[in-house]
Amino acid sequence: MDSPKIAVIGAGVVGLSVAKILQEELRGSDISVIAEQFKDDTTSAVAAGIFRPGPSFRGSTQDITKKWIKDSWHYWVNILKTAEAPQAGVTSLSSYLFSNNSHVTRNHLIEDLVPVYRPVTGEELKICGGDWKYGAYYSTVLIECKRHLPWLEAIITSNGGKMVNKRIDSLSSLRGKYDLVFNCSGMGAEKLCGDLDLVPIRGQVLKVDAPWVKTAFYGDYDTYVIPGFDGVVTLGGTRQYDSYNTEVCKHDTAAIWERCCNLVPGLKRAKVVDQKVGLRPHRTPVRVEPELVEGSKVVHCYGHGGYGVTCAPGTAIDAVKIGLDLLKTNVKYKI
Ligand SMILES: Cc1cc2nc3c(=O)[nH]c(=O)nc-3n(C[C@H](O)[C@H](O)[C@H](O)COP(=O)(O)OP(=O)(O)OC[C@H]3O[C@@H](n4cnc5c(N)ncnc54)[C@H](O)[C@@H]3O)c2cc1C
């Protein structure tokens, strides 16, 4: 098929990663990224963006999960090696993780992937506030979507892609307009697909000005301090299952501030510059699969929960492959 018309629903890190990889694989394709929200208004822009998949991130098999994580890691490291890394919002980052539960400080998903992942020494256990029993130190990458999404948009549009600001009320409303549709709508898939397995996990964070913080720190109870670009540090957080509340909650603010200042006492003199709330689109397994929706060829790629920045590229590579295979098939579609 010459120059197929393709729609990508969603301009978060997943949709834009799909669009970029698709352009690389299918030169000359006619791609429209259609989304209600762009850049800073997406959930992706709420994330600190640390590469650190957790055990709740799962594909349909363990092998698929591992492949997504590995492909993603190599994708980020390849960007890190280029001069464009700062514009792309990608940087290397070291992190300490402290806990009073030994299993929390292990991460079987990345221990063999990142350059360093080791238990901390007795001295290191005392670096932070708190009486910690266990700890790990590891090197990873950080992807800040405040920079990364505009960078992706610029690449996609310079290669002929279009950004369309529009809400899609149903997948079937695109019938007749596209040869292939990628559904990367995050929480939006709940309505678009009637997917009851997709559940929001509410996260609130504080953004503070603290340019002296150069390392990420984690403590128990979802306490984290993650430095990003321009001296802005993300303090978190909350993980509220099935909560749709997108308003900043002052009780969460107080709890995050207290927990983070206990962990890294120097933060007490940091100025809060912003507060954000996002709904992590959680689904087990993450949905990356084709579907014929009333005859239309659709590839779903959503449900990345708290690990969508980390694993967007790995899932996008698979989604694009599925989409290209689908384009080649002779399935009779009504669009
Ligand atoms: C507080 C917090 C911290 C986080 N920290 C990290 C982290 O450190 N590392 C990490 O890997 N992940 C982190 N995450 C998770 C990460 O943010 C998500 O997994 C990721 O953003 C999901 O990306 P997405 O593109 O699927 O969704 P989104 O960013 O929500 O994008 C969805 C897109 O679809 C569009 N859309 C939806 N429905 C429709 C519709 N009907 N019509 C048109 N457009 C539609 C939206 O407008 C938007 O453009 C964090 C999340 C939160 C909330």
Side-chain angles (χ1 to χ4, degrees):
M1 185 186 298
D2 293 332
S3 196
K5 280 194 81 174
I6 299 171
V8 177
I9 307 173
V13 66
V14 175
L16 294 181
S17 301
V18 164
K20 176 176 180 280
I21 292 166
L22 190 59
Q23 280 184 331
E24 288 161 4
E25 296 294 321
L26 196 63
R27 302 225 173 253
S29 53
D30 178 350
I31 299 177
S32 298
V33 176
I34 308 171
E36 201 175 5
Q37 280 110 8
F38 285 85
K39 299 187 179 97
D40 282 1
D41 296 328
T42 62
T43 304
S44 300
V46 177
I50 193 167
F51 182 96
R52 181 183 173 243
S56 70
F57 179 81
R58 288 211 221 129
S60 52
T61 66
Q62 213 181 1
D63 284 348
I64 288 175
T65 311
K66 280 188 184 159
K67 181 181 179 296
W68 286 345
I69 293 170
K70 194 171 163 210
D71 287 351
S72 298
W73 172 256
H74 292 299
Y75 177 97
W76 296 127
V77 169
N78 280 339
I79 295 180
L80 194 61
K81 285 184 209 153
T82 68
E84 277 192 69
Q87 287 106 290
V90 182
T91 185
S92 52
L93 180 68
S94 296
S95 177
Y96 278 105
L97 171 57
F98 297 110
S99 177
N100 286 323
N101 300 300
S102 60
H103 74 276
V104 173
T105 56
R106 301 292 307 266
N107 189 326
H108 298 289
L109 296 170
I110 61 168
E111 279 177 16
D112 296 332
L113 194 61
V114 298
V116 181
Y117 201 112
R118 60 164 176 81
V120 296
T121 63
E123 278 306 302
E124 285 174 311
L125 267 184
K126 296 175 203 147
I127 286 175
C128 280
D131 194 10
W132 301 108
K133 288 199 184 94
Y134 308 98
Y137 174 87
Y138 59 97
S139 54
T140 186
V141 293
L142 175 118
I143 308 99
E144 190 169 284
C145 281
K146 203 176 172 50
R147 289 182 180 215
H148 192 64
L149 299 187
W151 181 76
L152 285 174
E153 279 192 27
I155 292 175
I156 295 161
T157 48
S158 73
N159 287 324
K162 294 183 270 295
M163 298 292 150
V164 182
N165 189 191
K166 189 175 153 188
R167 180 186 165 79
I168 303 295
D169 289 321
S170 69
L171 291 174
S172 51
S173 69
L174 298 176
R175 191 190 306 139
K177 296 180 183 148
Y178 298 96
D179 299 298
L180 180 64
V181 173
F182 287 89
N183 171 24
C184 310
S185 56
M187 272 313 299
E190 190 185 23
K191 286 212 175 70
L192 283 178
C193 304
D195 188 340
L196 300 178
D197 292 330
L198 188 63
V199 180
I201 300 182
R202 179 183 178 276
Q204 181 172 323
V205 290
L206 277 62
K207 304 275 179 181
V208 302
D209 184 28
W212 63 88
V213 178
K214 302 288 184 201
T215 307
F217 298 98
Y218 283 82
D220 280 337
Y221 309 115
D222 262 313
T223 305
Y224 53 84
V225 173
I226 304 176
F229 284 81
D230 307 313
V232 177
V233 179
T234 302
L235 310 187
T238 66
R239 209 168 280 261
Q240 294 148 353
Y241 191 81
D242 212 10
S243 169
Y244 287 83
N245 178 12
T246 53
E247 300 295 315
V248 169
C249 164
K250 64 179 182 182
H251 304 292
D252 288 337
T253 302
I256 291 168
W257 180 253
E258 188 179 330
R259 283 188 274 128
C260 289
C261 288
N262 284 342
L263 186 67
V264 182
L267 285 170
K268 282 179 195 150
R269 61 191 171 97
K271 187 170 168 250
V272 177
V273 291
D274 204 359
Q275 298 197 55
K276 286 185 164 258
V277 174
L279 305 182
R280 301 172 179 95
H282 174 72
R283 189 182 191 275
T284 306
V286 179
R287 189 174 187 200
V288 180
E289 62 182 14
E291 187 185 13
L292 278 181
V293 179
E294 295 177 34
S296 307
K297 293 177 177 181
V298 175
V299 180
H300 300 288
C301 189
Y302 66 82
H304 298 63
Y307 310 103
V309 183
T310 297
C311 294
T315 54
I317 289 167
D318 266 11
V320 166
K321 187 175 176 311
I322 293 168
L324 295 181
D325 288 347
L326 205 56
L327 271 181
K328 286 181 214 144
T329 61
N330 282 330
V331 179
K332 201 95 185 115
Y333 54 96
K334 294 173 191 153
I335 51 176

